Amino acid sequence: MNLLLGALTLGFILSLVGLGVWVSFRIFKVADITVDGSLTFGAAVTAALVVGNGTNPLAATLAGMLAGMLAGTVTGLLQTRFKIDPLLSGILVMTALYSVNLRVMGRSNVPFLGKPSLQTWCEELGRAVLGAPSVDVFGWPVAAGDLAVVTLAGLAAVLVGSVLWWFFRTDLGTAMRASGDNAQMIRALGADVERYRILGLALSNGLVALGGSLLAQYQGFADAQMGIGMVVWGLASVIIGEALTGAPSLGFSIVGTIMGSVFFRELVAIALGFGLNPNDLKLVTAAFVFAALVLPSLLGRGRAQEVRP
Amino acid sequence: MSARADDSPAAVEAMVRVRGARKTFNVGSPEEVRPMQGIDLDIPAGQFVIVLGGNGSGKSTLLNGLAGTFRLDEGTIEIDGHDVTRWPEHRRASLVGRVFQNPFSGTAPMMTIAENFALAARRGRPRGLGWALNAPFRDELRDRVRGLRMGLEDRIDTAIGALSGGQRQALTLLMATWIEPRLLLLDEHTAALDPKSADQVIALTDEIVSSRRLTTLMVTHAMQQAVNLGDRILMMHRGNVLHDVSGPAKRRLRVDDLLARFEDVRRRELLDEGAAALLERSYV
Ligand SMILES: Nc1ncnc2c1ncn2[C@@H]1O[C@H](COP(=O)(O)OP(=O)(O)OP(=O)(O)O)[C@@H](O)[C@H]1O
Ligand SMILES: [Mg+2]
């Protein structure tokens, strides 16, 4: 039970990463590997501020998110102003971020060591609200702190999902979607497509870094390696989500990504419970995304992708 | 309106003023082309101009130059009294509405009809955090789309990519004119359609352009369209305006006359460059 609860919490936290990847992959149609670096960037900035500086955890989390937006902006500038291939832009920024992250952290791993973080705040809140160190859930003892953490992680996912749903239905957000769908058209309608792309990638990587910051606080440390393979993991969430909901609309696509993230984490937890070697996890994830990308067209009932001249 | 003192009255009325426009693509390479070789053009407000010419004569380049897809090498462009020579494409969109040849180009296929129109309704205006769609807009949209008589008013929430080319071109035309453009550019916007859809879209074009007296440039290869529509014909050849016919002369023009002029151009193609230039100077 505790294993599944932990997986649920992770699923919610990483759904922010999934939503970030959803923005770059579904709106701009690029698999933006900046994600692998910006996730760690968010975690590193938050950890360095909290541990080294005693910064307020909320401010440190926000700073982590801003760091990710900065990384996304750089990738966006490489893609637009310097006309570098989107994939290569992401690779460049991700590689550069590896050094930046080590600089920010000062070493390759920074533990929080019980310093006040959003994690410890949530745990205290849980104990205060429930008035007991643990409660029974369907006959299983669950720590009050864990319950509070999973609830707030879920709320964060729902909140971010709602904000995205709202944003992409505003004038600005609709134009951003169009700039990924048909740049020629929206340029002729007066939108500065390059600016929208930069803005969108900043948004995407900001969400990813926010997820990274929360992940670091949840697991109690930031690590230079923690971002590796995260873009593939985010893609898995997006794709599973579309399979689960059919993604007939924007809202379903967003909800689906959160569901996909949670669903996949639970699957992983169960597989690990049955003895899957954690070292094989990334291989399994990559194989899974491959299968999810290829199977629909093999089965001949692929969702009609964009129609392009 | 331009307030410059030296403007002659006729020039002040011009919605579009092109002076000495030149453009060379692929400079210095064997593929160097000069689709604009010093074009001067005045288009009075409300004039409907048909642009004719052979393949590669520079028709699309003229329209793209007005829309700002590229910067001129030399020359100036004024639209509605604004010197837009250095404006990027997205800025000129506040003055210019466009329909492209390819039905896929003018609409965002994954987005709904309503969303596409919401984008068009903010052409050249700032885009903020207000809802893109609301009930009054949807009602107005349904009304205007009903006017197309294509039965699309009940489908405004379907992805526009699911529609036929003709339907998409008709919608794109409606989108381009949702906010009245100071200049409407139509580049062979019926060329990719089957004859029936093409006729439908041409009829719609005539209706919109004449009823609202929009200043329009329309490129076409269909001589019959050129004869039936518009107030003026420009015939392009090798980056120049070779013939410019308007007024009563345009109204008298028949398909045979146009074909004769094309034949004339074709014969000149056989002459060497120097002779052609000489002929051109005395001809134009
Ligand atoms: N962006 C560009 N880059 C390079 N060459 C270009 C560009 N735009 C146009 N050209 C070239 O300029 C010449 C004129 O092209 P343009 O598209 O204006 O012709 P057109 O009159 O519209 O012909 P068509 O009837 O085939 O559409 C062609 O040789 C074309 O290849
Ligand atoms: Mg053309």
Side-chain angles (χ1 to χ4, degrees), chain B residues 190-251:
Chain B
T190 60
L193 307 180
D194 62 86
K196 189 163 158 280
S197 311
D199 288 346
Q200 251 180 333
V201 171
I202 282 297
L204 181 68
T205 306
D206 194 28
E207 185 184 318
I208 291 179
V209 171
S210 340
S211 70
R212 295 165 65 183
R213 299 197 46 74
L214 299 177
T215 313
T216 303
L217 267 91
M218 179 175 117
V219 176
T220 180
H221 281 288
M223 298 299 147
Q224 197 58 56
Q225 285 176 12
V227 166
N228 294 347
L229 301 175
D231 315 311
R232 177 178 178 186
I233 290 181
L234 297 180
M235 197 182 282
M236 307 271 309
H237 179 61
R238 292 196 187 166
N240 284 301
V241 177
L242 193 58
H243 297 291
D244 183 347
V245 187
S246 55
K250 154 70 173 93
R251 281 191 291 280

Side-chain angles (χ1 to χ4, degrees), chain A residues 23 28 32 68-82 176 179 192-206:
Chain A
V23 171
F28 294 103
D32 176 26
M69 295 181 77
L70 183 70
T73 305
V74 173
T75 304
L77 284 172
L78 292 188
Q79 289 186 16
T80 55
R81 295 287 185 269
F82 298 99
M176 193 180 277
S179 72
D192 185 347
V193 170
E194 302 200 336
R195 225 188 64 213
Y196 283 0
R197 197 177 185 90
I198 297 169
L199 208 64
L201 288 172
L203 171 68
S204 159
N205 283 286

Side-chain angles (χ1 to χ4, degrees), chain A residues 115-192:
Chain A
K115 287 261 166 68
S117 65
L118 291 185
Q119 170 74 13
T120 61
W121 280 10
C122 284
E123 285 172 354
E124 281 163 27
L125 184 74
R127 281 193 290 274
V129 169
L130 294 171
S134 81
V135 286
D136 260 23
V137 178
F138 307 123
W140 298 79
V142 173
D146 291 350
L147 214 55
V149 170
V150 74
T151 309
L152 287 167
L155 277 179
V158 169
L159 185 72
V160 169
S162 311
V163 168
L164 281 183
W165 181 81
W166 161 77
F167 175 72
F168 282 112
R169 293 166 69 90
T170 63
D171 282 320
L172 179 64
T174 314
M176 193 180 277
R177 280 161 59 205
S179 72
D181 198 15
N182 184 348
Q184 182 184 21
M185 168 260 197
I186 192 69
R187 210 180 283 121
L189 292 177
D192 185 347

Side-chain angles (χ1 to χ4, degrees), chain A residues 95-300:
Chain A
T95 306
L97 279 178
Y98 193 78
S99 295
V100 172
N101 289 332
L102 286 173
R103 282 273 178 187
V104 168
M105 294 195 290
R107 55 209 137 119
S108 65
N109 187 298
V110 176
F112 281 82
L113 298 171
K115 287 261 166 68
S117 65
L118 291 185
Q119 170 74 13
T120 61
W121 280 10
C122 284
E123 285 172 354
E124 281 163 27
L125 184 74
R127 281 193 290 274
V129 169
L130 294 171
S134 81
V135 286
D136 260 23
V137 178
F138 307 123
W140 298 79
V142 173
D146 291 350
L147 214 55
V149 170
V150 74
T151 309
L152 287 167
L155 277 179
V158 169
L159 185 72
V160 169
S162 311
V163 168
L164 281 183
W165 181 81
W166 161 77
F167 175 72
F168 282 112
R169 293 166 69 90
T170 63
D171 282 320
L172 179 64
T174 314
M176 193 180 277
R177 280 161 59 205
S179 72
D181 198 15
N182 184 348
Q184 182 184 21
M185 168 260 197
I186 192 69
R187 210 180 283 121
L189 292 177
D192 185 347
V193 170
E194 302 200 336
R195 225 188 64 213
Y196 283 0
R197 197 177 185 90
I198 297 169
L199 208 64
L201 288 172
L203 171 68
S204 159
N205 283 286
L207 292 177
V208 169
L210 177 62
S213 168
L214 296 184
L215 176 64
Q217 297 178 67
Y218 175 66
Q219 65 187 15
F221 62 88
D223 188 280
Q225 315 279 345
M226 67 192 280
I228 295 176
M230 276 303 178
V231 66
V232 176
W233 194 85
L235 290 176
S237 308
V238 173
I239 293 168
I240 297 173
E242 285 173 354
L244 288 177
T245 61
S249 72
L250 196 66
F252 277 101
S253 194
I254 290 172
V255 171
T257 299
I258 298 175
M259 282 166 56
S261 172
V262 169
F263 182 77
F264 198 43
R265 271 292 131 183
E266 294 293 352
L267 273 189
V268 166
I270 291 168
L272 289 174
F274 276 104
L276 174 75
N277 184 340
N279 289 338
D280 294 339
L281 206 54
K282 299 221 190 288
L283 175 65
V284 172
T285 311
F288 181 87
V289 170
F290 169 75
L293 287 174
V294 169
L295 276 185
S297 56
L298 282 187
L299 296 178

Side-chain angles (χ1 to χ4, degrees), chain B residues 25-26 33 35 54-61 188 221:
Chain B
F25 287 115
N26 310 318
V33 278
N55 293 114
S57 57
K59 305 179 298 293
S60 297
T61 305
E188 298 190 49
H221 281 288

